[in-house]
Amino acid sequence: PPSLPIYRIPYSPETSIAQAPTYWGSLLQGADLTTHWSLGNAGSVGGPVVLLTVITPGGTTNSHEFYRTVQIPSGGSLVDVTLTAAELAVAGFGPGEYLISFAAFNQSDVKLGEFLGNRLDIIESGTPEAFLIAQQIANNGMAGILETWDVPAGDPMEGQLADRAFTYDEAVSVIALIRSGHPEAARKILEGLQ
C-alpha cells in the first residue's frame, strides 16, 4: 500500500522564555510543587517546548530532572507545571534545602533559556514553621502576608477582622521563619509589607 505523507506542524523559532519561572520558595512535605512559566512565541505558528525542572539536594550533586512538553500557541502562554508529591517522594525529596533550576528547549533541542540555582525549602509537616508557611500559601492573594485572625464566614466580626494583618504578628512570624532556616518565606512577608 502507498505510504501516507507525514505532516508536521512547522515549529516557530520565535519561542522564548523571558523570566525565571515563579514558585513558592517553601514547600510543605507531601505537597505538590507548582511552577508558573511565562513563555513567549512571536511567530505565527504554535509549537512544542520542553520544560526542564532540576532539583538538587543542598550540598550534593545528586540532581533529579523532571521534563514536561507543552504546546505554546502563537503569541505565547502562561503555563503551570506541577510536580506531584508522589514524583517528589519517588525522587527521595524530604525535608531540607534544595537548589531548583529551570530550562526550556525547542523541539530541535535548542536551549531557549535557563535559570540556575534557585532555593527551594521542603518543610516537615506538623512543625510551627509549616503552619506559618501553609497559612502564607493559603493567603496568596495577600502577597505573602499572614492573616492575624482566622474569622469564619458569617461571624459578626468578619467585616472588621477578615483579611487583616498586624505588623507585630508579621514581625514575629519573620523572626520565627528566619530562625528556623526559612528566609524565603520571611522575605515574602517583608515584601508584602512594603
Side-chain angles (χ1 to χ4, degrees):
S3 63
L4 298 173
I6 298 174
Y7 292 99
R8 294 180 185 242
I9 297 174
Y11 177 72
S12 172
E14 292 87 6
T15 53
S16 63
I17 177 170
Q19 62 187 24
T22 58
Y23 63 98
W24 279 97
S26 299
L27 177 70
L28 298 178
Q29 182 181 12
D32 295 344
L33 171 64
T34 299
T35 55
H36 312 283
W37 298 66
S38 179
L39 301 165
N41 183 353
S44 60
V45 177
V49 172
V50 175
L51 305 177
L52 170 62
T53 303
V54 180
I55 301 176
T56 307
T60 75
T61 57
N62 301 326
S63 298
H64 194 86
E65 299 178 350
F66 301 90
Y67 293 89
R68 299 292 193 271
T69 301
V70 296
Q71 292 292 322
I72 305 303
S74 177
S77 180
L78 297 175
V79 175
D80 286 347
V81 173
T82 298
L83 303 178
T84 66
E87 288 178 288
L88 296 172
V90 166
F93 297 141
E97 295 178 9
Y98 297 84
L99 290 178
I100 184 169
S101 299
F102 307 99
F105 302 87
N106 66 20
Q107 70 181 13
S108 300
D109 210 25
V110 173
K111 188 180 294 180
L112 302 173
E114 65 182 355
F115 301 92
L116 305 174
N118 305 282
R119 184 173 172 153
L120 172 66
D121 292 324
I122 298 181
I123 312 301
E124 183 177 354
S125 299
T127 62
E129 59 268 22
F131 170 78
L132 293 174
I133 292 167
Q135 186 184 21
Q136 189 178 50
I137 292 168
N139 295 334
N140 192 21
M142 291 181 61
I145 295 176
L146 305 173
E147 286 186 34
T148 296
W149 302 98
D150 184 17
V151 183
D155 187 286
M157 296 299 292
E158 181 179 13
Q160 289 79 26
L161 296 177
D163 298 327
R164 299 285 190 267
F166 296 103
T167 305
Y168 175 82
D169 298 331
E170 302 305 311
V172 170
S173 297
V174 165
I175 292 166
L177 289 166
I178 289 172
R179 291 196 52 136
S180 63
H182 306 290
E184 287 300 309
R187 182 182 55 78
K188 288 185 185 303
I189 294 173
L190 294 172
E191 287 175 353
L193 290 172
Q194 291 182 350

